[in-house]
Each structure stands twice: as C-alpha cells, then as structure tokens.
Amino acid sequence: MVDGMDVAHEMVLWKVEPQCSISEADDFERLSRLLDRPRVKIERKLSFDERSLSELSVTGNLRPVDSYDSLCSPGAGRSVLDTPVSLSRNSFEPHPMVGEAWDALRRSIVFFRGQPVGTIAAIDHASEEVLNYDQVFVRDFVPSAMAFLMNGEPDIVKNFLLKTLHLQSWEKRIDRFKLGEGVMPASFKVNHDPVRKTDTLMADFGESAIGRVAPVDSGFWWIILLRAYTKSTGDLSLAETPECQKGIRLILSLCLSEGFDTFPTLLCADGCSMIDRRMGVYGYPIEIQALFFMALRCALAMLKPDVEGKEFTERILTRLNALGYHMRSYFWLDFQQLNDIYRYKTEEYSHTAVNKFNVIPDSIPDWIFDFMPSRGGYFVGNVSPAKMDFRWFALGNCIAILSSLATPEQSVAIMDLIEERWEELVGVMPLKISYPALEGHEWSIVTGCDPKNTRWSYHNGGSWPVLLWLLTAACIKTGRPQIARRAIELAESRLWKDGWPEYYDGKLGRYIGKQARKFQTWSIAGYLVSKMMLEDPSHLGMISLEEDKVKKPLIRRSASWTA
Ligand code: GLC
C-alpha cells in the first residue's frame, strides 16, 4: 500500500528531476517502478500538495515561505557519496523506530494543571545525576514542537508558547542584578505537590544554570516557534494577541538596543546557547547570529503594523540589512577566501583596509588548510578583532541555510562541504556539533579544563543526533534530499538500539557519549521530524524562509557595500 505520505516523499525527486544527476534520476525511475504507479498520478498528487501548501500558508502580513522552486536549487541533484542510497520497498514502510519514537516522545510530555506544556529533556532512569534534565528546555522543545505540529497536534505547542511567555514577565535576578525584561528562560520545571494537589512552576533564566549564563537563543527560538505554529495551523490569532506582540518586542528590544557596537552582530558570553558551557564561542558565535537573523525575519512577518509594530519593523529591516551583509562578507570562508586571508597584510589603518579585522595569517590553524575542499564553504564560528574562529558549527550553518542568511550559492557550498567532508562532519552518526575538537593545551585554556568537554566529546567535537532534523531541513531546502536520507539511515542503524543517546563521542561518532543521557527527548523528536519532513517536504515551510528578494537592492545600495 502506498499512502499519501509515500507519494509526498516522491515529490522531491519528481520536482528536482530536470536538474538531477544520473543517480537521482535513476532513483526516480526505480521508485516509480517500485511504486508501480504511472508518473502522472504522482504529478496529480504533487499539484494537490502544492495547493494545500499554499492554502496552509498564512496570508496577511506573513511573508511567503519556501516554494517548491527552492527544492530545485542550482546544487540540486548532486550525488552524495559514491555508494548509492539504498532503495527498497522497505524504505516506504514506516521504520519500526518511528512507532517507538512516538511512544517515547509521548512519555516525555510534561503537564501543568492537566494541560500538556512541553517535553522533559531526558527520561534516563539509569542516570544517577538528574541535574536539570528533568526540565522543559526551550531549545530542546523545538523539535518536539515541530513533530507535534507536523502530526496535527498544535495544542501542546500553543500551551508551551503561552506558558513561556508568562514566565518572561517574571522578575529575574542574579544576586543583586536584575536581568532584562525580555529574557526568556532556558528551561522550566513543573513541581507537582501530590498532597495539596497543586502544580507550580520554577524557571531558570541563567541564575541556576552552570556558569550562570542567560540563554540568548531561547527568545529567538520562541519567536521562530511562534511563526512555525502560525504557519502550520493558519491560526494568526495567537501571534496577534497583545501579549505575544509584546513578547516579541521585548525579546527584540534586548538585541536591537544601541550601545558601543561597531558591528551588527550580537555580542555574547560563552555558553549562552545550545553549547551551554565554556567552549571559546564568546564574542559573535555563528549559532546566535544565524538564530538572530532568523528570529528577526520571523518577527517581521508577525508584528502587527500598529505604531509600536511599525517602529520595530523599521529597526528590524535596518538591522537585517546590515547583519546579512556583515555575515555574508566576513563570516564566509571557502577556498578562495582562505587563500586571501592567508595572504592578508596586517596593521592596515583607515576605511581602505582589506583585512578589516586585522586577522594575523599566522593565527590560521593548520587543520583548515587540509580540511578546506576546493568545492564548498561555510560560515566560520566567530569573527571579531584579530580573532577568527575557523571551527565549523553545525547548528549555525543549517540555520543560515534555512533563514536564507546564506545566499543560494553559499547554501549550495555548505551542502557541498558536508558532502566533501562527510567522514569528518557526519562519520557514523550525524551530526558533529563542532569541528575539529580542541585538544591538549588549547582544550585546557579554552574550555577551562572542562572534563565533560574533552576532545571529541559533548560540545567539543561530539556528534548530536538532534541536529539531524536541521540537516534534513537544509537538505530539502537545497534540493538534496539524498544527503538527508543517507544521514537518517546512519541514525537508524544505531539510535534506537543505543537508547536514543544525547550525543556520541569520537572522531567518527562511534561511541555513545561518555556522560550522554539516554532517552534524550530531542534525539527522539529530531529523528521523527527528519522522517516526516522527508516524507512530506511541504513541512519545510514551518522552519524555512525564502530569500527575501525585495530587500536585495537595499543591500547593494548600503554604505558598507560601496566602502
Ligand atoms: C545540555 C545541552 C543543552 C541542552 C541541555 C538539555 O546542557 O548542552 O543544549 O539544552 O543539555 O538537554
């Protein structure tokens, strides 16, 4: 039996066919034969899905999201690796892991006064230390939310958005210092009192977190999720409530305020995002810059054009213009750019400087010369005066593709890099959170001798299954679903058997992480979201934004462009 989802799965191949490589066109032929259906049927289904996608897309002041055209990007159809993707009839039957994953995801649901409000970070009964893994983390809930939305269960997402919005209004203090009004919590916990039969909430805005860092990413994820909810349900009424509008403005006020900045990027402390421990990402980490860009674009689509909304819209547009220019110009690294930096002159004064940040070529690490392929590129980890962190960070690069912070050419190049450096960045378990690992003296200086972040473990070059959903989304957006399929196959060979670990260790990601939690919810949800997106690529619209063609000329006219 071929159900609707299976045919939807086909759509990608059908649509990309004109620019497909032989192997992908072959895939299509084989799939057609396997399905034993004439192509015309698939096409009819496709037009239905396209129609339903446009029906789903919210009108009003929301911007359009990805059309299927973007599935046919210039890089579409390049073959991933030499080995062909295995295609058998089995690939159309739900993998047994899918049912297991749904059961585990449902077991992780947290209730507040009878209402589902989120999912717990991990349910690892074997782990001695619970720490804060019994809480609902904002960032961890995003893939869970996507899974529920894709499955037509938006209520838990709505409850979560409202509950966290309520927490935002709490007064937040660390010792005698009061945090900004707009800060969203990293996590919250529901305490059930079985005697009094009451539920109470406890939130952590960084005042309890190890290292005491406020989560900069939480607010951005909240905005991104609000748009995903709106996009998926077509229900504009939630985003349009005065409370949500205020919530968006408060988050943005924290990031758009004027100060001593000379760059449009956001200055951050170490440990303020998914990498929530010291890893030398302080400054202008790519993860935050990409999420910032995406949240700004999502907010733009949701802010009402009233007086306050209009004022913010203008500030957002100005910032997006500058941020996009800065990131695409200075964070981008490919073979050509690396060669240019290698030959940089230093100590250049005045606006004519080529080496604007005074990067000293001697500071380029040795590994990058071998790692950089002739085909491909990526956004580096960080750029600030005389400091360029050349490390690869997966989340920021995937979000750059999804938010269209990356130009179409840059998006293709990022996917090319993943293909070219498959062993290093994917290995046997997708996907490396960062590459390469810090070792020896560098590890002790940069991480502060963090025993959890030893080389090729945890945040320091570990492999995180949760990143699979972002990789899959990026693959679909760039028209290269075969890369996602290969990554999912790898995950399927281990994840369930290993008990859904939080992360894997080792250069190739062969070992279950030293201190990894089992039954880590976002590893489970990330897998489900990847499967659902690949089966029905129209889900991509929830997490992807098309290139904003309207704003392009503005970028060209900007002062920094001509400088
Ligand atoms: C770890 C991760 C963090 C995650 C948390 C809960 O601290 O670094 O990103 O949110 O666990 O899973």
Side-chain angles (χ1 to χ4, degrees), residues 121 132-133 137 139-140 273-276 452 458-459 464 502 520 522:
N132 48 2
Y133 284 89
F137 277 75
R139 72 178 73 88
D140 292 42
S273 61
M274 176 182 182
I275 297 180
D276 55 1
K452 209 169 167 183
Y458 201 41
H459 303 135
W464 290 64
E502 181 185 12
Q520 180 79 22
W522 67 359

PDB file of all heavy atoms in Angstrom, residues 121 132-133 137 139-140 273-276 452 458-459 464 502 520 522, ligand 1:
ATOM      1  N   ALA A 121      13.593  17.124  29.141  1.00  0.00           N
ATOM      2  CA  ALA A 121      14.824  16.983  28.343  1.00  0.00           C
ATOM      3  C   ALA A 121      15.232  15.522  28.151  1.00  0.00           C
ATOM      4  O   ALA A 121      15.602  15.107  27.059  1.00  0.00           O
ATOM      5  CB  ALA A 121      15.962  17.775  28.978  1.00  0.00           C
ATOM      6  N   ASN A 132      19.540  19.126  35.555  1.00  0.00           N
ATOM      7  CA  ASN A 132      18.311  19.807  35.110  1.00  0.00           C
ATOM      8  C   ASN A 132      17.683  19.102  33.905  1.00  0.00           C
ATOM      9  O   ASN A 132      16.913  19.689  33.172  1.00  0.00           O
ATOM     10  CB  ASN A 132      18.589  21.284  34.792  1.00  0.00           C
ATOM     11  CG  ASN A 132      19.815  21.449  33.922  1.00  0.00           C
ATOM     12  OD1 ASN A 132      20.444  20.474  33.528  1.00  0.00           O
ATOM     13  ND2 ASN A 132      20.154  22.678  33.617  1.00  0.00           N
ATOM     14  N   TYR A 133      18.032  17.836  33.718  1.00  0.00           N
ATOM     15  CA  TYR A 133      17.463  17.101  32.590  1.00  0.00           C
ATOM     16  C   TYR A 133      15.987  16.734  32.822  1.00  0.00           C
ATOM     17  O   TYR A 133      15.354  16.168  31.950  1.00  0.00           O
ATOM     18  CB  TYR A 133      18.286  15.834  32.296  1.00  0.00           C
ATOM     19  CG  TYR A 133      19.585  16.142  31.575  1.00  0.00           C
ATOM     20  CD1 TYR A 133      20.749  16.426  32.266  1.00  0.00           C
ATOM     21  CD2 TYR A 133      19.636  16.163  30.185  1.00  0.00           C
ATOM     22  CE1 TYR A 133      21.930  16.721  31.599  1.00  0.00           C
ATOM     23  CE2 TYR A 133      20.812  16.448  29.503  1.00  0.00           C
ATOM     24  CZ  TYR A 133      21.955  16.730  30.227  1.00  0.00           C
ATOM     25  OH  TYR A 133      23.122  17.019  29.554  1.00  0.00           O
ATOM     26  N   PHE A 137      13.296  22.310  28.451  1.00  0.00           N
ATOM     27  CA  PHE A 137      14.186  23.340  27.899  1.00  0.00           C
ATOM     28  C   PHE A 137      13.517  23.956  26.670  1.00  0.00           C
ATOM     29  O   PHE A 137      12.941  23.234  25.850  1.00  0.00           O
ATOM     30  CB  PHE A 137      15.525  22.729  27.467  1.00  0.00           C
ATOM     31  CG  PHE A 137      16.499  22.566  28.591  1.00  0.00           C
ATOM     32  CD1 PHE A 137      16.336  21.546  29.523  1.00  0.00           C
ATOM     33  CD2 PHE A 137      17.591  23.422  28.725  1.00  0.00           C
ATOM     34  CE1 PHE A 137      17.233  21.386  30.567  1.00  0.00           C
ATOM     35  CE2 PHE A 137      18.485  23.274  29.766  1.00  0.00           C
ATOM     36  CZ  PHE A 137      18.313  22.259  30.699  1.00  0.00           C
ATOM     37  N   ARG A 139      14.966  25.354  24.004  1.00  0.00           N
ATOM     38  CA  ARG A 139      15.594  24.901  22.753  1.00  0.00           C
ATOM     39  C   ARG A 139      15.308  23.423  22.479  1.00  0.00           C
ATOM     40  O   ARG A 139      15.102  23.018  21.357  1.00  0.00           O
ATOM     41  CB  ARG A 139      17.102  25.187  22.755  1.00  0.00           C
ATOM     42  CG  ARG A 139      17.941  24.343  23.659  1.00  0.00           C
ATOM     43  CD  ARG A 139      19.419  24.680  23.541  1.00  0.00           C
ATOM     44  NE  ARG A 139      19.761  25.945  24.163  1.00  0.00           N
ATOM     45  CZ  ARG A 139      20.100  26.080  25.445  1.00  0.00           C
ATOM     46  NH1 ARG A 139      20.140  25.028  26.246  1.00  0.00           N
ATOM     47  NH2 ARG A 139      20.410  27.265  25.943  1.00  0.00           N
ATOM     48  N   ASP A 140      15.261  22.626  23.547  1.00  0.00           N
ATOM     49  CA  ASP A 140      15.017  21.185  23.369  1.00  0.00           C
ATOM     50  C   ASP A 140      13.592  20.919  22.898  1.00  0.00           C
ATOM     51  O   ASP A 140      13.321  19.922  22.225  1.00  0.00           O
ATOM     52  CB  ASP A 140      15.211  20.419  24.693  1.00  0.00           C
ATOM     53  CG  ASP A 140      16.663  20.398  25.147  1.00  0.00           C
ATOM     54  OD1 ASP A 140      17.330  21.441  25.038  1.00  0.00           O
ATOM     55  OD2 ASP A 140      17.114  19.344  25.615  1.00  0.00           O
ATOM     56  N   SER A 273      23.935  29.391  24.537  1.00  0.00           N
ATOM     57  CA  SER A 273      23.048  28.762  23.551  1.00  0.00           C
ATOM     58  C   SER A 273      23.111  27.244  23.742  1.00  0.00           C
ATOM     59  O   SER A 273      23.352  26.771  24.852  1.00  0.00           O
ATOM     60  CB  SER A 273      23.476  29.167  22.145  1.00  0.00           C
ATOM     61  OG  SER A 273      24.779  28.726  21.896  1.00  0.00           O
ATOM     62  N   MET A 274      22.903  26.494  22.654  1.00  0.00           N
ATOM     63  CA  MET A 274      22.946  25.034  22.775  1.00  0.00           C
ATOM     64  C   MET A 274      24.257  24.595  23.424  1.00  0.00           C
ATOM     65  O   MET A 274      24.301  23.670  24.234  1.00  0.00           O
ATOM     66  CB  MET A 274      22.800  24.399  21.391  1.00  0.00           C
ATOM     67  CG  MET A 274      22.933  22.891  21.421  1.00  0.00           C
ATOM     68  SD  MET A 274      22.818  22.183  19.776  1.00  0.00           S
ATOM     69  CE  MET A 274      22.959  20.436  20.139  1.00  0.00           C
ATOM     70  N   ILE A 275      25.334  25.233  23.020  1.00  0.00           N
ATOM     71  CA  ILE A 275      26.624  24.975  23.663  1.00  0.00           C
ATOM     72  C   ILE A 275      26.626  25.808  24.936  1.00  0.00           C
ATOM     73  O   ILE A 275      26.991  26.983  24.927  1.00  0.00           O
ATOM     74  CB  ILE A 275      27.776  25.344  22.701  1.00  0.00           C
ATOM     75  CG1 ILE A 275      27.690  24.445  21.470  1.00  0.00           C
ATOM     76  CG2 ILE A 275      29.136  25.245  23.401  1.00  0.00           C
ATOM     77  CD1 ILE A 275      28.746  24.674  20.418  1.00  0.00           C
ATOM     78  N   ASP A 276      26.141  25.195  26.027  1.00  0.00           N
ATOM     79  CA  ASP A 276      25.900  25.996  27.222  1.00  0.00           C
ATOM     80  C   ASP A 276      27.007  25.863  28.270  1.00  0.00           C
ATOM     81  O   ASP A 276      26.763  25.965  29.468  1.00  0.00           O
ATOM     82  CB  ASP A 276      24.512  25.683  27.806  1.00  0.00           C
ATOM     83  CG  ASP A 276      24.309  24.197  28.088  1.00  0.00           C
ATOM     84  OD1 ASP A 276      25.253  23.406  27.855  1.00  0.00           O
ATOM     85  OD2 ASP A 276      23.231  23.819  28.547  1.00  0.00           O
ATOM     86  N   LYS A 452      33.901  17.475  30.905  1.00  0.00           N
ATOM     87  CA  LYS A 452      32.813  16.973  30.055  1.00  0.00           C
ATOM     88  C   LYS A 452      33.120  17.275  28.582  1.00  0.00           C
ATOM     89  O   LYS A 452      32.686  16.555  27.695  1.00  0.00           O
ATOM     90  CB  LYS A 452      31.488  17.630  30.475  1.00  0.00           C
ATOM     91  CG  LYS A 452      30.292  16.745  30.207  1.00  0.00           C
ATOM     92  CD  LYS A 452      29.005  17.234  30.842  1.00  0.00           C
ATOM     93  CE  LYS A 452      27.825  16.459  30.255  1.00  0.00           C
ATOM     94  NZ  LYS A 452      26.537  16.888  30.738  1.00  0.00           N
ATOM     95  N   TYR A 458      30.919  15.491  23.697  1.00  0.00           N
ATOM     96  CA  TYR A 458      29.943  16.528  24.073  1.00  0.00           C
ATOM     97  C   TYR A 458      29.988  17.719  23.104  1.00  0.00           C
ATOM     98  O   TYR A 458      29.820  17.527  21.910  1.00  0.00           O
ATOM     99  CB  TYR A 458      30.223  16.934  25.524  1.00  0.00           C
ATOM    100  CG  TYR A 458      29.077  17.592  26.255  1.00  0.00           C
ATOM    101  CD1 TYR A 458      27.776  17.139  26.127  1.00  0.00           C
ATOM    102  CD2 TYR A 458      29.303  18.689  27.092  1.00  0.00           C
ATOM    103  CE1 TYR A 458      26.732  17.764  26.828  1.00  0.00           C
ATOM    104  CE2 TYR A 458      28.271  19.312  27.801  1.00  0.00           C
ATOM    105  CZ  TYR A 458      26.990  18.842  27.651  1.00  0.00           C
ATOM    106  OH  TYR A 458      25.977  19.456  28.345  1.00  0.00           O
ATOM    107  N   HIS A 459      30.190  18.928  23.608  1.00  0.00           N
ATOM    108  CA  HIS A 459      30.197  20.073  22.680  1.00  0.00           C
ATOM    109  C   HIS A 459      31.493  20.172  21.894  1.00  0.00           C
ATOM    110  O   HIS A 459      31.567  20.902  20.901  1.00  0.00           O
ATOM    111  CB  HIS A 459      30.038  21.395  23.451  1.00  0.00           C
ATOM    112  CG  HIS A 459      28.813  21.472  24.294  1.00  0.00           C
ATOM    113  ND1 HIS A 459      28.825  21.952  25.587  1.00  0.00           N
ATOM    114  CD2 HIS A 459      27.524  21.117  24.036  1.00  0.00           C
ATOM    115  CE1 HIS A 459      27.599  21.910  26.083  1.00  0.00           C
ATOM    116  NE2 HIS A 459      26.798  21.398  25.170  1.00  0.00           N
ATOM    117  N   TRP A 464      25.767  14.954  17.635  1.00  0.00           N
ATOM    118  CA  TRP A 464      24.465  15.131  18.279  1.00  0.00           C
ATOM    119  C   TRP A 464      23.339  14.728  17.330  1.00  0.00           C
ATOM    120  O   TRP A 464      23.052  15.448  16.355  1.00  0.00           O
ATOM    121  CB  TRP A 464      24.288  16.584  18.722  1.00  0.00           C
ATOM    122  CG  TRP A 464      25.174  16.956  19.868  1.00  0.00           C
ATOM    123  CD1 TRP A 464      26.537  16.996  19.869  1.00  0.00           C
ATOM    124  CD2 TRP A 464      24.764  17.325  21.189  1.00  0.00           C
ATOM    125  NE1 TRP A 464      27.005  17.366  21.111  1.00  0.00           N
ATOM    126  CE2 TRP A 464      25.936  17.583  21.937  1.00  0.00           C
ATOM    127  CE3 TRP A 464      23.523  17.455  21.818  1.00  0.00           C
ATOM    128  CZ2 TRP A 464      25.895  17.963  23.279  1.00  0.00           C
ATOM    129  CZ3 TRP A 464      23.480  17.850  23.153  1.00  0.00           C
ATOM    130  CH2 TRP A 464      24.652  18.096  23.873  1.00  0.00           C
ATOM    131  N   GLU A 502      21.988  11.236  24.012  1.00  0.00           N
ATOM    132  CA  GLU A 502      22.058  12.694  23.810  1.00  0.00           C
ATOM    133  C   GLU A 502      23.144  13.041  22.782  1.00  0.00           C
ATOM    134  O   GLU A 502      22.956  13.889  21.932  1.00  0.00           O
ATOM    135  CB  GLU A 502      22.397  13.298  25.173  1.00  0.00           C
ATOM    136  CG  GLU A 502      22.512  14.790  25.229  1.00  0.00           C
ATOM    137  CD  GLU A 502      22.983  15.259  26.602  1.00  0.00           C
ATOM    138  OE1 GLU A 502      23.432  14.412  27.424  1.00  0.00           O
ATOM    139  OE2 GLU A 502      22.903  16.468  26.852  1.00  0.00           O
ATOM    140  N   GLN A 520      17.050  10.795  25.455  1.00  0.00           N
ATOM    141  CA  GLN A 520      17.116  12.258  25.363  1.00  0.00           C
ATOM    142  C   GLN A 520      16.022  12.669  24.371  1.00  0.00           C
ATOM    143  O   GLN A 520      16.042  12.276  23.198  1.00  0.00           O
ATOM    144  CB  GLN A 520      18.510  12.652  24.853  1.00  0.00           C
ATOM    145  CG  GLN A 520      18.732  14.131  24.711  1.00  0.00           C
ATOM    146  CD  GLN A 520      19.041  14.812  26.040  1.00  0.00           C
ATOM    147  OE1 GLN A 520      19.482  14.148  27.000  1.00  0.00           O
ATOM    148  NE2 GLN A 520      18.816  16.111  26.103  1.00  0.00           N
ATOM    149  N   TRP A 522      15.141  15.311  22.619  1.00  0.00           N
ATOM    150  CA  TRP A 522      15.336  15.947  21.312  1.00  0.00           C
ATOM    151  C   TRP A 522      16.052  15.035  20.309  1.00  0.00           C
ATOM    152  O   TRP A 522      15.937  15.258  19.110  1.00  0.00           O
ATOM    153  CB  TRP A 522      15.911  17.350  21.413  1.00  0.00           C
ATOM    154  CG  TRP A 522      17.314  17.544  21.915  1.00  0.00           C
ATOM    155  CD1 TRP A 522      18.186  16.605  22.337  1.00  0.00           C
ATOM    156  CD2 TRP A 522      17.969  18.817  22.013  1.00  0.00           C
ATOM    157  NE1 TRP A 522      19.363  17.206  22.718  1.00  0.00           N
ATOM    158  CE2 TRP A 522      19.253  18.567  22.521  1.00  0.00           C
ATOM    159  CE3 TRP A 522      17.615  20.123  21.731  1.00  0.00           C
ATOM    160  CZ2 TRP A 522      20.181  19.583  22.750  1.00  0.00           C
ATOM    161  CZ3 TRP A 522      18.535  21.140  21.956  1.00  0.00           C
ATOM    162  CH2 TRP A 522      19.793  20.869  22.464  1.00  0.00           C
TER     163      TRP A 522
HETATM  164  C1  GLC B   1      22.875  20.160  27.620  1.00  0.00           C
HETATM  165  C2  GLC B   1      22.991  20.823  26.261  1.00  0.00           C
HETATM  166  C3  GLC B   1      21.909  21.862  26.073  1.00  0.00           C
HETATM  167  C4  GLC B   1      20.542  21.240  26.319  1.00  0.00           C
HETATM  168  C5  GLC B   1      20.500  20.584  27.695  1.00  0.00           C
HETATM  169  C6  GLC B   1      19.225  19.825  27.932  1.00  0.00           C
HETATM  170  O1  GLC B   1      23.188  21.046  28.616  1.00  0.00           O
HETATM  171  O2  GLC B   1      24.244  21.399  26.112  1.00  0.00           O
HETATM  172  O3  GLC B   1      21.984  22.417  24.804  1.00  0.00           O
HETATM  173  O4  GLC B   1      19.560  22.202  26.188  1.00  0.00           O
HETATM  174  O5  GLC B   1      21.575  19.670  27.825  1.00  0.00           O
HETATM  175  O6  GLC B   1      19.105  18.771  27.034  1.00  0.00           O
END
